[in-house]
């Protein structure tokens, strides 16, 4: 992949992300923005949780994951999915209940099972299941990756699973998207102690990163993730991140200052400012791609489901 | 006009104001969010740390509620979606309910677990269920449901006065409807509430062709079916809505019913309707002309896509069809 971005002068020394990565970031961003727009226009029902601001996490992890790995996702899973399977049409059809839906429109936004990607809408439920799949991957070189939010560390199943993961030495990569808030409740009002301390209690290695730079993150994690595969051990990777959008839709009760603070960390505005031309071109390209996908999927007939 | 969610919100305000021993726990229930369905709005501002937002820990939070109750307070716990009440099953069944009698003497546990339930909102399989049936038949555990007829304040008082753990199911679509007032449903139907059971009837009608028994969240769909049956099929129905689903209270007037039909939103099989029929069959055996009709949602997960969800959950058309079939 040729990097088409001009070198830029920035207070940060990191080079711009590869075009391929930026495309994926923008695909996810426009996918999520489109969902919010469709909701506003009354074309979507139910609910949805967008990953605005957090897109870089699954994008950074993408090349660290292999084809045989299981990936478990949660309610905020569109980015996790798109970084695993570049199929915005299939996912949108699932969310809209149209022909070509990944799960016939039964699961919707929060319940997708496609190849070895699985999401569920009940917090904390996935971790024990992830341990079970990881048991079958022991010594195969593959791993199970499971995304959870900081709030989900309230659920007891998380600890029961971590205990077994360590006891039985399974290749489990726990990715914590620590955005400092769960729905409306700040983490400080939910969590005593820290994620690091909790991982340490089980003797599970823990790595925290505040970086939002794709390549920097990959460099930090490459060896650690390789170790999960080769030594068959669990690992907790904690991303200090920011949710720049609402929890679902129109339900952000943070103060304007708090929202602005989160938005300060948005890779989108940063990249747009750093290399406006190349960014603008890709941004337009991906926005149009998603717009076309939305028009295409909206015009499809409803999904068909054979009820068991 | 008062929306059901506002009515319940006011009832909670009044209850916490009247009784300083009442505590309220749940995820995201404090202001400014005021709960996922805004039922707890304004309470934390007014009552301080008697109203607590909790971590995502349904099982433990219900346990904490039981502990508050054990220690002499009264606890109301909100589970964000009824589907997650399964996470508190052990605390409810093996602790809260069992404790009221397993120590050889009555132990009061005034605990109410509020569960926003039901579908028709496109929330998908894990956020749309009506899991009432999973909590039936547990000794010591009472199951209630909010309705547009019953005063929520009185309901909360009744539940807490029992001194036993109660589940209160609250249909999420019902939240958005208005409370009925002054005995009037619409231009056709009137209602009265006696002994905790709401009876909706056609004014002046003698014996109904069919009496429907439903839980609060089903009331509007049952009413829609009753209206169609009356206007298009000339079938006169009466509706009974008990606020207490288990143990089933005495249901009035069934001896003169031409037929009885129980409708529930839960999935078919092992449901509330079967429990109602179990209680009613021996009582009505001599007057029943045919077996009680049970209508439930399909034995299925609840799809997210609205066109699929509609097929699975009970709709007015299903009720009408089932009644016509039974009466034919
Ligand atoms: C068992 C359970 N309880 C509650 C919820 C409702 N809920 C959905 S997401 C969420 C907050 C999750 O917070 P966190 O894990 O930090 O993830 P984030 O939303 O910040 O990405 C809550 C309370 C749920 N889906 N499952």
């Amino acid at each position: 992949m040729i990097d088409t971005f001009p070198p830029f002068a920035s207070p940060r020394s990191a080079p711009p992300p590869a075009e391929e990565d930026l495309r994926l970031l923008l695909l996810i961003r426009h996918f999520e923005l489109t969902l919010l727009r469709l909701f506003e226009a009354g074309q979507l029902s139910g609910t949805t949780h967008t990953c605005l601001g957090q897109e870089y996490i699954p994008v950074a992890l993408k090349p660290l994951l292999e084809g045989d790995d299981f990936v478990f996702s949660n309610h905020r899973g569109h980015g996790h999915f798109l970084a695993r399977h570049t199929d915005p049409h299939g996912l949108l059809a699932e969310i809209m209940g149209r022909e070509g839906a990944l799960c016939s429109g039964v699961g919707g936004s929060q319940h997708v099972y496609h190849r070895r990607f699985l999401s569920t809408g009940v917090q904390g439920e996935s971790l024990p299941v992830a341990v079970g799949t990881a048991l079958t991957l022991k010594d195969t070189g593959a791993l199970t990756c499971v995304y959870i939010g900081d709030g989900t560390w309230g659920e007891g199943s998380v600890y029961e699973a971590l205990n077994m993961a360590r006891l039985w030495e399974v290749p489990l990569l726990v990715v914590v998207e620590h955005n400092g808030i769960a729905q409306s409740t700040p983490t400080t009002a939910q969590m005593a102690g820290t994620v690091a301390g909790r991982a340490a209690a089980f003797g599970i290695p823990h790595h925290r990163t505040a970086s939002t730079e794709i390549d920097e993150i990959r460099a930090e994690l490459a060896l650690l993730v390789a170790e999960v595969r080769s030594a068959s051990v669990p690992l907790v990777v904690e991303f200090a991140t920011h949710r720049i959008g609402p929890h679902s839709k129109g339900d952000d009760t943070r103060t304007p200052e708090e929202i602005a603070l989160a938005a300060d960390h948005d890779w989108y505005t940063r990249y747009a400012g750093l290399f406006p031309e190349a960014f603008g071109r890709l941004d337009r390209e991906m926005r149009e791609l998603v717009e076309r996908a939305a028009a295409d999927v909206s015009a499809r007939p409803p999904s068909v489901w054979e009820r068991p | 006009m008062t929306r059901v969610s506002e009515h319940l919100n006011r009832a909670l305000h009044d209850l916490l104001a009247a009784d300083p021993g009442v505590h309220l726990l749940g995820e995201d229930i404090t202001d400014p969010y005021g709960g996922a369905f805004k039922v707890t709005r304004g309470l934390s501002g007014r009552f301080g740390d008697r109203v607590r937002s909790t971590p995502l820990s349904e099982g433990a939070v219900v346990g904490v509620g039981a502990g508050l109750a054990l220690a002499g307070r009264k606890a109301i716990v909100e589970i964000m979606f009824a589907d997650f009440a399964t996470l508190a099953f052990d605390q409810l069944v093996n602790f809260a309910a069992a404790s009221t009698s397993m120590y050889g003497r009555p132990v009061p546990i005034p605990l109410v677990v509020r569960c926003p339930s039901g579908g028709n909102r496109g929330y998908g399989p894990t956020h749309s269920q009506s899991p009432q049936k999973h909590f039936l038949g547990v000794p010591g555990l009472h199951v209630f449901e909010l309705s547009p007829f019953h005063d929520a304040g009185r309901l909360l008082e009744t539940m807490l006065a029992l001194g036993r753990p109660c589940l209160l199911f609250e249909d999420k679509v019902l939240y958005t409807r208005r409370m009925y007032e002054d005995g009037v449903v619409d231009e056709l139907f009137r209602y009265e509430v006696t002994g905790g059971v709401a009876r909706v009837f056609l004014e002046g009608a003698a014996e109904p062709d069919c009496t429907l028994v439903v839980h609060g969240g089903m009331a509007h769909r049952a009413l829609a079916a009753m209206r169609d049956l009356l206007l298009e099929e000339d079938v006169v129905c009466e509706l009974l809505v008990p606020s207490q689903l288990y143990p089933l209270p005495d249901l009035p007037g069934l001896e003169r019913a031409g037929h009885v039909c129980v409708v529930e939103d839960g999935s078919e099989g092992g449901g509330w309707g079967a429990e109602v029929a179990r209680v009613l069959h021996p009582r009505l055996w001599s007057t029943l002309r045919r077996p009680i009709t049970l209508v439930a949602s399909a034995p299925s997960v609840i799809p997210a896509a609205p066109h699929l969800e509609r097929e699975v959950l009970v709709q007015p058309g299903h009720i009408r069809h089932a009644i016509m079939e039974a009466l034919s």
Side-chain angles (χ1 to χ4, degrees):
Chain A
M1 170 70 29
I2 301 157
D3 186 358
T4 53
F5 298 108
F8 59 94
S10 93
R12 305 195 47 135
S13 54
E19 180 166 322
E20 186 188 3
D21 293 329
L22 193 51
R23 269 180 201 282
L24 186 52
L25 282 171
L26 289 165
L27 171 72
I28 301 172
R29 171 63 52 103
H30 288 297
F31 189 90
E32 300 290 52
L33 291 175
T34 299
L35 288 184
L36 292 179
R37 251 197 319 275
L38 288 170
F39 259 110
E40 252 167 48
Q43 288 178 265
L44 279 186
S45 60
T47 190
T48 197
H49 308 85
T50 62
C51 65
L52 298 171
Q54 302 180 186
E55 298 92 339
Y56 66 92
I57 296 171
V59 174
L61 289 169
K62 183 180 167 78
L64 300 178
L65 297 179
E66 306 286 346
D68 287 344
D69 295 347
F70 275 98
V71 174
F72 285 84
S73 171
N74 56 8
H75 59 299
R76 211 175 292 292
H78 307 152
H80 305 155
F81 177 84
L82 291 171
R84 191 72 176 146
H85 303 286
T86 324
D87 183 4
H89 290 78
L91 182 59
L92 192 58
E94 182 58 38
I95 295 167
M96 299 190 81
R98 301 302 166 104
E99 192 178 271
L102 296 165
C103 302
S104 304
V106 177
S109 161
Q110 304 193 70
H111 315 91
V112 170
Y113 185 22
H114 182 66
R115 311 236 175 107
R116 290 192 162 194
F117 177 97
L118 187 147
S119 63
T120 65
V122 184
Q123 303 303 329
E125 199 172 66
S126 65
L127 235 111
V129 183
V131 170
T133 62
L135 259 179
T136 71
L137 299 179
K138 225 167 138 58
D139 304 320
T140 66
L143 59 73
T144 295
C145 167
V146 51
Y147 289 95
I148 63 171
D150 45 278
T152 299
W153 289 74
E155 297 290 351
S157 61
V158 170
Y159 304 92
E160 300 175 28
L162 288 177
N163 185 44
M164 288 184 277
R166 179 72 226 198
L167 268 180
W168 299 338
E169 300 291 24
V170 301
L172 179 74
L173 171 62
V174 181
V175 177
V176 186
E177 294 175 305
H178 190 156
N179 56 18
I181 190 164
Q183 199 140 340
S184 73
T185 310
T187 311
T188 47
Q190 297 235 16
M191 185 185 284
T194 59
V195 171
R198 292 168 186 218
F202 294 100
I204 296 178
H206 166 269
H207 179 85
R208 180 180 181 277
T209 180
S211 174
T212 59
E213 296 295 341
I214 306 275
D215 292 327
E216 199 171 84
I217 294 166
R218 286 178 188 157
E220 281 181 38
L221 295 184
L223 285 177
L224 293 169
V225 173
E227 179 83 359
V228 174
R229 297 181 190 284
S230 61
S232 192
V233 283
L235 167 70
V236 174
V237 174
E238 178 182 0
F239 286 85
T241 188
H242 297 269
R243 190 193 86 198
I244 64 172
H247 168 70
S248 48
K249 48 190 168 65
D251 65 344
D252 208 333
T253 46
R254 293 177 291 185
T255 63
E257 294 74 35
E258 286 170 316
I259 294 172
L261 209 67
D264 278 348
H265 292 83
D266 190 5
W267 55 268
Y268 184 92
T269 27
R270 187 157 45 87
Y271 292 155
L274 286 177
F275 32 92
E277 270 174 40
F279 184 88
R281 174 174 57 78
L282 286 183
D283 187 42
R284 215 164 26 249
E285 202 181 297
M286 299 318 285
R287 190 177 56 232
E288 285 167 8
L289 185 150
V290 176
E291 271 168 18
R292 278 195 305 276
D296 166 9
V297 171
S298 308
R300 295 181 189 179
S303 62
V304 176
W305 176 46
E306 297 277 326
R307 208 160 72 208
Chain B
M1 181 192 114
T2 316
R3 271 166 55 117
V4 172
S5 59
E6 287 164 27
H7 172 75
L8 178 58
N9 174 259
R10 263 181 234 170
L12 288 166
H13 270 277
D14 293 347
L15 177 68
L16 267 82
D19 187 343
V22 178
H23 292 248
L24 190 60
L25 305 167
E27 290 158 20
D28 300 285
I29 64 168
T30 50
D31 293 329
Y33 204 71
F37 299 98
K38 311 305 164 203
V39 170
T40 57
R41 233 180 219 162
L43 290 165
S44 66
R46 200 170 156 199
F47 300 106
D49 62 12
R50 281 165 62 204
V51 180
R52 273 184 204 273
S53 277
T54 70
L56 278 76
S57 311
E58 291 80 3
V61 171
V62 169
V64 169
L68 282 162
L70 188 72
R73 306 292 176 86
K74 294 174 187 140
I76 301 176
V77 174
E78 174 177 307
I79 302 284
M80 192 181 284
F81 287 85
D83 312 64
F84 314 148
T86 54
L87 286 159
F89 202 65
D90 172 61
Q91 286 291 345
L92 279 167
V93 175
N94 293 324
F95 185 76
S99 294
T100 59
S101 58
M102 77 175 167
Y103 297 107
R105 62 180 188 283
V107 174
I109 307 275
L111 167 68
V112 172
V113 178
R114 297 185 32 242
C115 302
S117 58
N120 290 303
R121 288 181 70 139
Y123 285 168
T126 63
H127 289 63
S128 306
Q129 297 174 84
S130 296
Q132 289 87 331
K133 68 176 182 181
H134 300 305
F135 299 91
L136 302 180
V138 180
L141 189 62
H142 290 241
V143 180
F144 287 80
E145 182 159 332
L146 204 63
S147 98
F149 307 105
H150 295 86
D151 181 78
R154 217 164 305 142
L155 198 55
L156 289 168
E157 272 172 32
T158 305
M159 289 188 287
L160 289 172
L162 281 172
R164 291 180 168 204
C166 298
L167 285 152
L168 176 62
F169 288 91
E170 304 170 0
D171 187 88
K172 301 195 284 285
V173 173
L174 180 65
Y175 280 152
T176 65
R177 312 299 291 259
R178 66 177 180 89
M179 287 299 292
Y180 291 120
E181 285 165 10
D182 305 324
V184 178
V185 172
D186 55 21
E187 76 285 4
L188 289 176
F189 295 106
R190 301 287 173 269
Y191 77 92
E192 61 186 18
V193 182
T194 34
V197 181
R199 185 175 78 90
V200 182
F201 52 94
L202 191 66
E203 217 168 9
E207 293 192 351
D209 300 307
C210 179
T211 299
L212 282 82
V213 182
V214 311
H215 52 94
M218 188 56 73
H220 287 94
R221 281 170 279 166
L223 283 166
M226 284 164 66
R227 163 177 274 279
D228 289 349
L229 281 163
L230 180 70
L231 300 180
E232 291 168 30
E233 311 279 2
D234 215 17
V235 169
V236 177
C237 294
E238 194 165 293
L239 173 67
L240 298 179
V241 187
S243 60
Q244 183 173 317
L245 305 184
Y246 186 88
L248 192 71
D250 198 34
L251 299 177
L254 285 175
E255 281 77 8
R256 50 181 194 89
H259 181 53
V260 178
C261 174
V262 190
V263 191
E264 69 191 296
D265 225 0
S267 58
E268 182 188 301
W272 179 64
E275 171 59 15
V276 176
R278 178 187 75 82
V279 175
L280 293 185
H281 267 140
R283 195 184 114 195
L284 301 178
W285 196 245
S286 58
T287 55
L288 279 176
R289 287 172 222 165
R290 48 181 85 76
I292 293 172
T293 298
L294 303 185
V295 179
S297 292
S300 166
V301 296
I302 301 167
H307 68 283
L308 300 174
E309 184 186 38
R310 218 176 296 129
E311 299 291 305
V312 164
L313 298 178
V314 174
Q315 306 300 342
H318 297 128
I319 302 173
R320 173 180 171 173
H321 180 77
I323 290 175
M324 286 313 292
E325 196 157 282
L327 294 182
S328 67

